[in-house]
Amino acid sequence: MYLENHKSWKDWKWQLKNRITTIEEVEKVLDCNFNEDKKKVLKKTIEKFPLSITPYYLSLVDASDYDNDPVFKQAFPQVKELEVCRADIEDPLGEEDDSPIKGITHRYPDRVLFHVSNVCAMYCRHCTRKRKVGDKEYNPMKEDYEAGFKYIESHHEVRDVLLSGGDPFLLSNDLIDYLLERLSKIPHVELIRIGTRTPVVLPYRITEELVDVLSKYKNLWINTHFNHPKEITEEAIEALDKLAGCGIPLGNQSVLLANVNDCPRIMKKLVHKLTANRVRPYYLYQCDLSEGLEHFRTSIGRGIEIMESLRGHTSGLAVPTYVIDAPGGGGKIPVMPNYLMSWSTNKAILRNYEGVITTYEEPNEYAQIACDLECRTCHLQLKLDKKDNIKSIGIEKLLSDNSEIITLTPIEE
Ligand SMILES: *Cc1c(COP(=O)(O)O)cnc(C)c1O
């Protein structure tokens, strides 16, 4: 490729400055010509959602077979992107509805999503936040950050803050340091997570200086987003090694994408490469219902088939949780093959990954424990802090002995 020998290739700012943003540039780099009619439509897709590929990420594309290339498919639009189908939703996860203030999504009891950046190094064609990303009107400003801190400070139940975006690692080291420092000063924030795709699309961003900043924070976790084993290059491995080397636990969230990684063997290869590089596969997402993503969506059955091919067949550490993020803001729902086949009063029938059917006898003596949620008098010796939340909701509440509620009734529209 024509740029790879450039003296600044490994400079992440050079990579950003030289992002490929037009169809013509892609043609030049891949030495190909798209048909003129198709080009007209492709241009419409990038008016709707910008094209932006780092030279590094584009260099991973096999120019002789780009149409089938998993990197190309994630970075370059398809004509089908303009098709909005019946099931599509602009904000499929209801993030706006769960947003008490701009930049914060608070859906779960004890954790929030804090959108601290609105830009990415590469715009993934399968992005679930297409509606927002690259939106000039929503670039967080200092006031937005302060409002976010204020919200978190005044919500004592928030013990886990996920920095997301856009990509937080496109912010400057100083700003990242500032955000982490501010959050670290909030006593009830026990844990900070950063979601970033830079190890995949811009591994040179993981500089010594950045790692020096990150390693100051001992409660920091990083989740990245590898979708295909091809993305785990020498450069990516080096970036992961730098992050893991300073003690940051690493996770990975993949999205199941039709014709990209919807294959048990590809997924197995991916999770093996991840674990070999100290990255724990965390989630495998069913592709969301964002507008124009139908061509990326698989059946749920395909996801279950992939999970079936992993559990038992390979290290448990390499098996992610397969989740569907419920349309309309219900949050992540795990789905998996059925292992519990049947059940009697004191016996469960289970099957393993090989199809062996087995029985598990339950103890005769396990008496129902009537819990009154008075942990102070319980013999299990739980030392509760004042801030510990022992209120139960949802199915947990239905199961609780302490609840008068015996049904959950949907709210009328
Ligand atoms: C995914 C997500 C989280 C984090 O969920 P975990 O299951 O704890 O990783 C938090 N808030 C929102 C809005 C999310 O979408």
Side-chain angles (χ1 to χ4, degrees), residues 235-247:
E235 291 86 344
I237 288 172
E238 203 178 303
L240 295 172
D241 185 52
K242 277 194 197 136
L243 292 170
C246 67

Side-chain angles (χ1 to χ4, degrees), residues 330-397:
K332 298 176 184 72
I333 300 172
V335 275
M336 66 175 108
N338 293 325
Y339 294 101
L340 185 57
M341 298 178 75
S342 196
W343 215 356
S344 73
T345 312
N346 66 345
K347 203 189 273 184
I349 311 295
L350 304 138
R351 64 97 175 169
N352 78 351
Y353 73 103
E354 298 161 303
V356 172
I357 297 176
T358 187
T359 56
Y360 177 86
E361 282 247 2
E362 300 191 275
N364 290 322
E365 292 294 308
Y366 190 74
Q368 183 189 355
I369 299 165
C371 170
D372 56 5
L373 295 182
E374 277 303 323
C375 301
R376 273 179 300 275
T377 55
C378 172
H379 67 280
L380 291 175
Q381 302 191 347
L382 174 64
K383 293 266 182 289
L384 281 182
D385 291 341
K386 236 200 275 138
K387 68 181 172 63
D388 283 330
N389 177 11
I390 51 171
K391 202 178 77 189
S392 46
I393 60 165
I395 305 295
E396 187 195 17
K397 185 164 184 169

Side-chain angles (χ1 to χ4, degrees), residues 95 105 107-108 111 113 162 193 282-283 285 325 332:
E95 290 187 324
T105 306
R107 170 175 310 135
Y108 296 104
R111 54 210 187 278
L113 213 60
L162 284 80
R193 299 191 246 175
Y282 180 48
Y283 281 138
Y285 285 95
D325 217 333
K332 298 176 184 72

